[in-house]
Structure formats: structure tokens, C-alpha cells
């Protein structure tokens, strides 16, 4: 840790960033001490991304100052920031899939005017990997790597360019629990090397592993605390402005008759490879089956096959005894299935449509919204306004284009539509991704209410806390196969993490 007599590694004074009349950041001030981890915490839309973009040169603040080691700096581009030792690892990787690891790491080196020879470059990268216990095949193509390995490539790339302050945006979103533990061990080693970390995360257990926590709400700092001085409950209250129930109240309910039955299902990926391999499971009335797994292990292809937007190669799908194998999405939805896709803009919404158009997307022919061939605009508007109110969708009006909304608000439109339309089964793939803590609480509540009503629910989430809190049974998926199925309360994060990494353990359900 830095001595008090030295200036902070990074200091932000009264930073304000406007987008038109909207204040994304307002009068933000904080300090990052060299050799510490500072966490930026806040709800969706609180201003975390805008603030980090200002620190990295993607945006320029409208007012305020940024200091590095006591020296005022002005970043006109990310290149200016990296020249001052500030690098960012984005949640969505910016790697070239067809290039090797070493090619991705040195990409852009020539622009900096200090390109090394290939052998010298490889040696420098290997030394970085050895120092931080990171295992990478420098000559493997990026597409051959797991998402966790791609995360390490991004981190090594920033270190290779000389970053001494790393900004990490949701770095554990694609990692297993064990990989997350390794990441934090590496981050701590970095701090002992006098590097500093700005961590953006919504996982409160991770947030509390930092040294300092800056809480943002509506673009302003509402808390700047030491992690040792606060609890998860304290942090959620600061974020939302009210107490939040962090633990769900899942009642014991005896499952009913089989509702969704999947038998020997095989589904191909877009590359023609087996993404789901001979998978079988059953979900009963009054039951939530959690699908746990690292992103990219067949979850998307499984859900797309269940809802009819991707055809299966083999196997059978039944809902309440009705065979839905090879049926299209309209027939699947008509039989009572609601679908929350993991990619909201690609699969769940039409960006150029308004809020009210998207909230009835696929439902526009129902009698609630149409009088024969004519849409009932008043009913549609009332329904959309009610959805905005119930789900806290931040939009100027029901006429607002959806592609102008934040990802979290776009997700809420899908949730409002699918929770209303489903009558038997809900397929929820990452339903809380990008949502505020308060809305996550609401989503959990609705899923549990639907369970009580007799719905069969398939829930896939990269948040193991969601899976453990909501599921009656948990199936772990790895490379398109179910590695194990467990009853709720009879497994833990460590056991699930082993299975998510492909290691077999004993099934109990």
C-alpha cells in the first residue's frame, strides 16, 4: 500500500459528464491508492460505465479533473490513458478470434513505436504469465480458448502494454467459482507489485474483497467506504436507497406432474458442431430446474431448441404430453411457454420498435390487444404503461425506441412480456443479467410466484447465487452435457464449480 505522504495513484475531482440534458456523472470525486483495489458499485444506469470510460479516454468529461500520481492529465483517447499506465479490460472481449494469443496481445504495438522482436515479445509475455501464474498457449487461436482463458488474454494484453492501473468491468462474469478465486488471488499479487485495480462488479461477495468501495446512484457518489466497515445489506441500501431482501423465501412445495420432458436431445451450433449432446431431463409442475454453467457450454442452443427457434438433430421435446419437437416458436408460445433469451437485442427485441410495440411483440394478434385485424392502441398503451410502472422501466414514454434504452431497461421489457404471456412453462436464460438489485429482487419474487402457481421453470444463470437461491434441482452443464443433477440444499458452490469445469462428482438427484 502507498504511503500517505505520496499522492494518490489516481484522483478524480468533481468530474461531470453530460449527454444532452442527461447527467451521467455529476460532481464525482474519489481517490485510488497505489497498491489497492477500489470497487465501483451501483445499479444499472448509475454511471459506472460512463465514469470508467472517462478514466480510459473513451469519453472526455465536461468538467472536473483527473490526476495521475498528483499530475493533472487529459485523455483524448484510450491511447493517452495507456500511455499514463491506465488500461481497461472490458466485459465483452475485443479479441480477434482467428488470430493467435500472441498476435492479439501485441496487436497495435507498432502504433506505439516500440515493437519488440517476436522472440523477445514471446519471452516478455511468458515472464508475465509465469509471474502471475497464468497458463496460456501463446500460439493457440483465440477461438480455441475457453471464455475464461480469453479473459486472461485480455488481462495479459493490458499488462504487456505497461498498465499500472487496471480497470476490470465485471471480470468474473465468464469464470467458474474456482477461476474467480484464482483471479482475485492474482489481483492481490498485482497490488503487492504496486499495481492498482478499479473493479466494476455487482457481486457483493466480490465487492467486499476490495479495499475501498465507491457507491454510485444516479450518477452521484452516495457512499465511499472501506470494505471492512460495511455489510452486503449496507451496500444494497446505499445502491437502491432502501433496504433490499438479499435472501429469497422459497417455500417447500411438492413438485406436481411432469410438465416439460426433454429426451436424448442433440442440437448443433451455428458452426455445425454438437452444442447439446444427448441431453435428457424433466421439469415438473411447481418446480424450478436451475442450469448452472459457464457461458458457451450449450445453454443458448438448448433454450433455442426448446422454444423452437433452432431445430434439433435428434431427441424429443414434450410439454404436458404435447410433442413440440420440430415445432416453430409461434406453436411453442401458443402452448404456454414464455422465453427470456440471453441476448436481449438479438433475440428478444426489435431495437427500432417502441417500448409499447416490443412489450406485445408476438402477442399482437391476441384479443387483449386487437379487435380482429385492427390493433387496440388504447389497450396496448395501457398495458405498456403498466409494464413500465411494475418493472421500473426508465423510458421517456411508451413511444421511446427500445434501442435508446440501457440494456437493463431493455431486459425489463422482455420480462414484462414473457411473464404475462406464459401459462405453463418459463424458459429463463440469464433473466437478471444487467438488472438493478431492486429489480433482481422483483424477478426472483415473480419466478417463485409462478412456481407456486404450478409453472415448470428452467432457469439458466451464470450467477450461482441465483441458481442456489431459486432452484429445486440444479443441473450442471459442461460442453453440452449434464455433468450432475442435485437437489437444492445438497450441494454447494465448490461442488458446482468443479462440475462447471468438467470434473465429475457424485449425483444426488
Amino acid at each position: 500500500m502507498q504511503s500517505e505522504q505520496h499522492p494518490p495513484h489516481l484522483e478524480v475531482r468533481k468530474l461531470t459528464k453530460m449527454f444532452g440534458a442527461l447527467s451521467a456523472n455529476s460532481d464525482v470525486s474519489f481517490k485510488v491508492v497505489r497498491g489497492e483495489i477500489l470497487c465501483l458499485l451501483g445499479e444499472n444506469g448509475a454511471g459506472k460505465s460512463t465514469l470508467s470510460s472517462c478514466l480510459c479516454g473513451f469519453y472526455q468529461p465536461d468538467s472536473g479533473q483527473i490526476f495521475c500520481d498528483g499530475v493533472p492529465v487529459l485523455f483524448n483517447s484510450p491511447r493517452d490513458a495507456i500511455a499514463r499506465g491506465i488500461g481497461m479490460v472490458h466485459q465483452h472481449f475485443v479479441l480477434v478470434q482467428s488470430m493467435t494469443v500472441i498476435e492479439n496481445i501485441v496487436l497495435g504495438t507498432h502504433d506505439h513505436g516500440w515493437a519488440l522482436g517476436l522472440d523477445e515479445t514471446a519471452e516478455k509475455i511468458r515472464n508475465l504469465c509465469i509471474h502471475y501464474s497464468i497458463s496460456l498457449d501463446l500460439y493457440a487461436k483465440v477461438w480455441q480458448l475457453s471464455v475464461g482463458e480469453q479473459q486472461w488474454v485480455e488481462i495479459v494484453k493490458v499488462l504487456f502494454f505497461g498498465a499500472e492501473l487496471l480497470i476490470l468491468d465485471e471480470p468474473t462474469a465468464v469464470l467458474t467459482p474456482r477461476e474467480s478465486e484464482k483471479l482475485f488471488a492474482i489481483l492481490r499479487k498485482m497490488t503487492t507489485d504496486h499495481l492498482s485495480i478499479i473493479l466494476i462488479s455487482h457481486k457483493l461477495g466480490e465487492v467486499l474483497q476490495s479495499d475501498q468501495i465507491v457507491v454510485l446512484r444516479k450518477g452521484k457518489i452516495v457512499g465511499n467506504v472501506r470494505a471492512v466497515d460495511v455489510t452486503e445489506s449496507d451496500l444494497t441500501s446505499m445502491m437502491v436507497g432502501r433496504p433490499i431482501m438479499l435472501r429469497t423465501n422459497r417455500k417447500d412445495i411438492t413438485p406436481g406432474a411432469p410438465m416439460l420432458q426433454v429426451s436424448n436431445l442433440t442440437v448443433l451450433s451455428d458452426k455445425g458442431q454438437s452444442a447439446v449432446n444427448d441431453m435428457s431431463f424433466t421439469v415438473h409442475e411447481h418446480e424450478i430446474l436451475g442450469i448452472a454453467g459457464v457461458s458457451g457450454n450449450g445453454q443458448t442452443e438448448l433454450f433455442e431448441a426448446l422454444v423452437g427457434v433452432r431445430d434439433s438433430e435428434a431427441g424429443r421435446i414434450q410439454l404436458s404430453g404435447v410433442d413440440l419437437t420440430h415445432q416453430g416458436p409461434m406453436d411453442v408460445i401458443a402452448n404456454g411457454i414464455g422465453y427470456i433469451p440471453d441476448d436481449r437485442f438479438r433475440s428478444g427485441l426489435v431495437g427500432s420498435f417502441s417500448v409499447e410495440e416490443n412489450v406485445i411483440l408476438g402477442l399482437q394478434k391476441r384479443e387483449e390487444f386487437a379487435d380482429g385485424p385492427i390493433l387496440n392502441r388504447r389497450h396496448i398503451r395501457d398495458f405498456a404503461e403498466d409494464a413500465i410502472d411494475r418493472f421500473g422501466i426508465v423510458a421517456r414514454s411508451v413511444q421511446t425506441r427500445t434501442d435508446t434504452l440501457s440494456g437493463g431497461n431493455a431486459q425489463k421489457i422482455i420480462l414484462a412480456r414473457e411473464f404475462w404471456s406464459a401459462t405453463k412453462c418459463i424458459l429463463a436464460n440469464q433473466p437478471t443479467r444487467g438488472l438493478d438489485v431492486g429489480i433482481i429482487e422483483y424477478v426472483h419474487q415473480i419466478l417463485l410466484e409462478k412456481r407456486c402457481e404450478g409453472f415448470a421453470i428452467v432457469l439458466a444463470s451464470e450467477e450461482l447465487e441465483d441458481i442456489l437461491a431459486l432452484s429445486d434441482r440444479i443441473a450442471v452443464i459442461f460442453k453440452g452435457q449434464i455433468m450432475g443433477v442435485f437437489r437444492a440444499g445438497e450441494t454447494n458452490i465448490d461442488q458446482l464449480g468443479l462440475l462447471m469445469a468438467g470434473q465429475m462428482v457424485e449425483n444426488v438427484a
Side-chain angles (χ1 to χ4, degrees):
M1 186 184 301
Q2 168 186 302
S3 169
E4 291 295 329
Q5 65 186 4
H6 293 98
H9 194 172
L10 179 79
E11 183 178 2
V12 178
R13 295 182 189 173
K14 298 183 179 299
L15 185 148
T16 295
K17 178 62 182 175
M18 306 289 294
F19 293 99
L22 174 66
S23 176
N25 292 129
S26 178
D27 203 29
V28 171
S29 299
F30 65 93
K31 300 175 182 179
V32 181
V33 176
R34 184 175 287 274
E36 283 197 347
I37 300 175
L38 178 143
C39 180
L40 291 178
L41 179 66
E43 295 181 279
N44 179 64
K48 306 185 299 296
S49 295
T50 299
L51 177 57
S52 61
S53 293
C54 288
L55 299 180
C56 288
F58 286 100
Y59 295 147
Q60 287 73 51
D62 295 298
S63 62
Q65 286 185 294
I66 301 172
F67 295 80
C68 287
D69 292 316
V71 178
V73 294
L74 178 63
F75 300 147
N76 292 311
S77 70
R79 180 179 296 182
D80 292 342
I82 196 68
R84 292 294 313 201
I86 299 177
M88 183 167 182
V89 177
H90 297 270
Q91 182 178 1
H92 302 290
F93 305 148
V94 287
L95 300 172
V96 181
Q97 295 289 311
S98 61
M99 295 175 66
T100 65
V101 170
I102 189 170
E103 288 170 340
N104 270 277
I105 291 175
V106 302
L107 190 64
T109 298
H110 290 278
D111 292 338
H112 288 261
W114 53 276
L116 304 175
L118 186 60
D119 291 341
E120 188 180 352
T121 298
E123 186 65 19
K124 180 178 179 180
I125 296 172
R126 287 194 191 96
N127 288 337
L128 280 171
C129 291
I130 291 171
H131 183 69
Y132 290 113
S133 302
I134 297 172
S135 178
L136 281 176
D137 179 355
L138 300 188
Y139 299 99
K141 302 285 188 182
V142 166
W143 66 265
Q144 297 174 309
L145 305 181
S146 69
V147 286
E149 289 171 325
Q150 293 183 40
Q151 175 85 280
W152 298 123
V153 175
E154 290 278 23
I155 291 173
V156 171
K157 181 174 182 176
V158 171
L159 294 172
F160 178 79
F161 276 97
E164 295 183 346
L165 190 152
L166 282 69
I167 303 176
L168 307 178
D169 188 4
E170 301 285 358
T172 64
V174 297
L175 302 181
T176 67
R178 181 164 290 186
E179 288 173 329
S180 297
E181 291 176 7
K182 179 182 178 181
L183 173 65
F184 273 88
I186 290 173
L187 295 184
R188 277 300 167 195
K189 182 169 178 56
M190 289 179 180
T191 62
T192 64
D193 292 338
H194 304 292
L195 275 64
S196 306
I197 311 292
I198 294 179
L199 173 71
I200 302 172
S201 178
H202 66 279
K203 299 180 181 179
L204 295 178
E206 295 177 0
V207 171
L208 290 171
Q209 294 184 57
S210 60
D211 299 297
Q212 182 183 357
I213 304 168
V214 171
V215 185
L216 292 166
R217 186 167 74 232
K218 296 181 179 179
K220 297 181 179 180
I221 291 181
V222 295
N224 190 336
V225 296
R226 304 295 294 180
V228 294
D229 296 330
V230 291
T231 65
E232 291 187 3
S233 180
D234 295 331
L235 294 174
T236 55
S237 294
M238 280 189 276
M239 289 168 61
V240 182
R242 64 178 177 85
I244 292 290
M245 184 179 68
L246 295 172
R247 300 286 179 258
T248 57
N249 183 21
R250 186 171 58 84
K251 300 177 182 178
D252 288 334
I253 301 177
T254 302
M259 175 74 76
L260 177 67
Q261 294 176 288
V262 176
S263 307
N264 305 111
L265 189 68
T266 295
V267 185
L268 299 184
S269 70
D270 291 338
K271 296 180 180 179
Q273 301 169 338
S274 179
V276 177
N277 187 9
D278 196 32
M279 185 180 293
S280 299
F281 61 85
T282 298
V283 192
H284 300 77
E285 297 172 347
H286 301 290
E287 184 179 43
I288 298 177
L289 176 69
I291 305 291
V294 176
S295 176
N297 277 281
Q299 299 96 317
T300 297
E301 291 84 358
L302 169 63
F303 277 76
E304 289 179 349
L306 295 179
V307 80
V309 298
R310 182 184 295 268
D311 203 6
S312 58
E313 287 294 300
R316 193 177 185 190
I317 303 168
Q318 293 178 286
L319 182 72
S320 296
V322 177
D323 193 342
L324 298 181
T325 315
H326 307 305
Q327 297 298 306
M330 295 305 294
D331 289 327
V332 171
I333 292 170
N335 274 277
I337 289 182
Y339 175 48
I340 302 166
D342 62 329
D343 189 327
R344 57 182 73 96
F345 285 110
R346 182 177 68 88
S347 306
L349 300 165
V350 178
S352 60
F353 282 13
S354 67
V355 172
E356 68 176 1
E357 288 169 332
N358 270 298
V359 84
I360 65 160
L361 191 65
L363 311 175
Q364 62 269 19
K365 293 183 179 180
R366 294 196 179 187
E367 61 182 14
E368 293 90 344
F369 306 121
D371 298 321
I374 301 174
L375 292 176
N376 189 321
R377 292 292 181 182
R378 173 175 289 183
H379 287 181
I380 293 171
R381 185 172 295 109
D382 290 344
F383 180 72
E385 289 175 347
D386 180 63
I388 285 175
D389 182 61
R390 284 187 298 114
F391 281 83
I393 300 170
V394 180
R396 293 180 180 178
S397 74
V398 296
Q399 299 294 331
T400 300
R401 278 177 58 125
T402 302
D403 56 11
T404 66
L405 303 180
S406 69
N409 284 305
Q411 180 81 333
K412 295 172 192 177
I413 296 173
I414 298 174
L415 294 171
R417 181 184 69 217
E418 301 302 321
F419 281 144
W420 180 85
S421 65
T423 58
K424 294 180 180 179
C425 175
I426 294 173
L427 307 174
N429 193 0
Q430 317 303 327
T432 61
R433 177 179 284 168
L435 297 185
D436 307 343
V437 174
I439 298 299
I440 289 174
E441 176 191 45
Y442 182 56
V443 172
H444 285 188
Q445 176 186 336
I446 294 180
L447 286 171
L448 292 174
E449 287 176 356
K450 295 295 184 183
R451 169 180 174 264
C452 289
E453 292 172 13
F455 278 70
I457 300 170
V458 184
L459 167 68
S461 178
E462 291 156 21
E463 308 295 340
L464 287 182
E465 291 81 2
D466 284 356
I467 295 290
L468 290 167
L470 298 172
S471 303
D472 297 286
R473 290 182 299 132
I474 300 170
V476 184
I477 188 172
F478 176 74
K479 292 186 176 179
Q481 294 183 307
I482 292 179
M483 301 293 290
V485 182
F486 302 87
R487 288 185 290 272
E490 296 185 358
T491 186
N492 55 51
I493 286 181
D494 290 337
Q495 192 173 37
L496 294 177
L498 289 173
L499 287 162
M500 288 165 64
Q503 300 182 40
M504 294 297 296
V505 297
E506 184 179 353
N507 289 9
V508 296

